[in-house]
Every structure is written in structure tokens, then in C-alpha cells.
Amino acid sequence: EVQLVESGGGLVQPGGSLRLSCAASGFTFSNYWMSWVRQAPGKGLEWVANIKQDGSEKYYVDSVKGRFTISRDNTKNSLYLQMNSLRAEDTAVYYCARRIRTDSSTYFDYWGQGTLVTVSS
Amino acid sequence: SYELTQPPSVPVSPGQTARITCSGDALPKKYAYWYQQKSGQAPVLVIYEDSKRPSGIPERFSGSSSGTMATLTISGAQVEDEADYYCYSTDSSGNQRVFGGGTKLTVL
């Protein structure tokens, strides 16, 4: 059974940093692209970042470029999101998601339960 | 920036058919995907590549796409189908990855 378990969320002041983790199990982690998707309170879903199987390609939504860094450790079956210079508008539940990417198709097939990040003074 | 447009809400009576639409300029060339999100839970994939249903998703869920509009159809809606539904796709270049604004399905 595919399982994705996020951790690391919490309350942080504006300008602060936080590192999210996602522990994956039930599948061969190193075979898949992985992603972070977030959801602000009462709002819709927003894709945040993608990382290739070997970490050689990374992509970000414009609003987090230069502040967030996605990474992975395939020896630990873990995905990370380093978030720096946090802003109030980064407040959201952050979901880890397994990404399917083929020549013609790209989507998220499994999601974790999410971890809440609150940016407030 | 690329946008996918969904109606904010769709009401349906139990046992009736609900249709949720998603419009986007690139949909003639790009697949649409649909996610169900129940209150306080993570999203679940219910339709991929316009019309394919993942294992474990009830047959009452189906998808279609024509021109610039994709449609999620729930035939014989159940009370447990009450949730927010989001479409997902990319722009024609594949560089912008976007979700629609979401549609709240109310079954009553």
C-alpha cells in the first residue's frame, strides 16, 4: 500500500524558515517523480514543486522560486521542502504527492495527509 | 497565466446525475484529471487522462472531454460523494501546472 507521511509543519514568524519532510513507503520511491502541493485555509489546491527521480530536475511555481528548495534522499525514501523567507501567504496545508509523468500525461496519483504551516507573528 | 474554470457549486439530489465542468484553452491538447477532496481529508484521484478511472473508484464516476471543456459525471450521486472536486491540467507548453478553483458538490 502506498503511504506518504508528511511532518515538520508548525508556526513560524514571517521571514523564518521551516523544513518539511515526507516519508514514503509501499512503492519504489526512486522510480517516481515527487511533488509538493499546498492548500491555503479555505482555498483551492496549488502545485508548488516537482523533483525528478534522481533529483537532477526541479521545478517551482513562480511565487516560491528562490525561497523554497525541493530535495530527496532515495536511500531514506524521503522527500523534503526547505522553505525560507516565509510569508503570510505561504500559510497552507502542504501535501506530498507521488507524480506520474509519461510522454503524454502528468498527474499526482497518491497524496499524503498533509502538514500545516502557519506563518504569523 | 493559464487558468482552469469550474463552477463554484453544483447541487444534486441523491440518485440523480451530477455534472461538473472544467474549461481551459489547452484542454483540446492536454488531458484533464479530477480529484475529490472530502472535508478535512487529502485529495483522491477519481479520473485521469480525461476518462480513465483508477482502481477502487466506483463506476458511477466518469469523465469526458470535448473541445475546451472537460466534464466529471457522477451517475446516481450518493450522499458520500459530497465533496470538493478539482480539475487539474497544464497549459499547452506543459510548463504551467494548474488546478481549477474547485467545485463544491452538495448532495441533498
Side-chain angles (χ1 to χ4, degrees):
Chain A
E1 177 192 6
V2 173
Q3 286 200 324
L4 299 168
V5 180
E6 302 93 337
S7 61
L11 175 64
V12 61
Q13 293 188 340
S17 298
L18 212 55
R19 188 194 196 208
L20 305 184
S21 299
C22 171
S25 61
F27 65 102
T28 304
F29 181 73
S30 59
N31 285 353
Y32 290 86
W33 282 76
M34 295 296 296
S35 301
W36 289 98
V37 178
R38 67 183 177 183
Q39 185 171 35
K43 301 297 184 182
L45 300 168
E46 180 184 39
W47 165 76
V48 174
N50 290 338
I51 186 168
K52 194 176 180 179
Q53 289 92 329
D54 61 0
S56 61
E57 295 182 32
K58 303 176 184 181
Y59 301 94
Y60 302 91
V61 68
D62 285 348
S63 59
V64 309
K65 283 179 183 176
R67 300 189 300 122
F68 289 13
T69 301
I70 188 171
S71 63
R72 64 192 296 162
D73 185 338
N74 288 342
T75 66
K76 296 182 178 179
N77 291 340
S78 292
L79 176 71
Y80 307 101
L81 186 67
Q82 177 67 43
M83 303 186 295
N84 299 330
S85 302
L86 282 161
R87 307 167 179 166
E89 54 265 36
D90 296 318
T91 294
V93 173
Y94 284 74
Y95 294 101
C96 164
R98 190 174 81 169
R99 183 179 183 228
I100 299 298
R101 177 177 168 172
T102 67
D103 287 343
S104 60
S105 188
T106 172
Y107 59 102
F108 316 105
D109 64 344
Y110 286 96
W111 301 59
Q113 285 302 307
T115 186
L116 176 62
V117 173
T118 303
V119 184
S120 174
S121 55
Chain B
S1 62
Y2 187 55
E3 292 184 354
L4 296 172
T5 302
Q6 299 181 234
S9 63
V10 169
V12 65
S13 299
Q16 298 302 302
T17 297
R19 293 180 179 85
I20 299 172
T21 59
C22 172
S23 64
D25 290 342
L27 290 178
K29 300 179 181 178
K30 296 295 185 181
Y31 286 123
Y33 306 84
W34 291 94
Y35 294 92
Q36 176 195 67
Q37 186 179 34
K38 296 183 178 180
S39 181
Q41 298 184 20
V44 172
L45 180 70
V46 293
I47 293 291
Y48 67 102
E49 294 179 0
D50 289 346
S51 60
K52 298 177 181 177
R53 195 173 52 248
S55 61
I57 300 302
E59 291 184 8
R60 63 180 180 272
F61 288 87
S62 63
S64 62
S65 187
S66 178
T68 60
M69 185 170 289
T71 302
L72 173 69
T73 300
I74 307 172
S75 303
Q78 310 281 313
V79 172
E80 60 261 33
D81 299 331
E82 191 161 282
D84 293 324
Y85 290 84
Y86 294 90
C87 61
Y88 170 80
S89 189
T90 66
D91 67 350
S92 56
S93 71
N95 292 328
Q96 291 190 62
R97 304 155 183 89
V98 297
F99 290 91
T103 298
K104 183 173 186 60
L105 179 70
T106 303
V107 183
L108 46 67

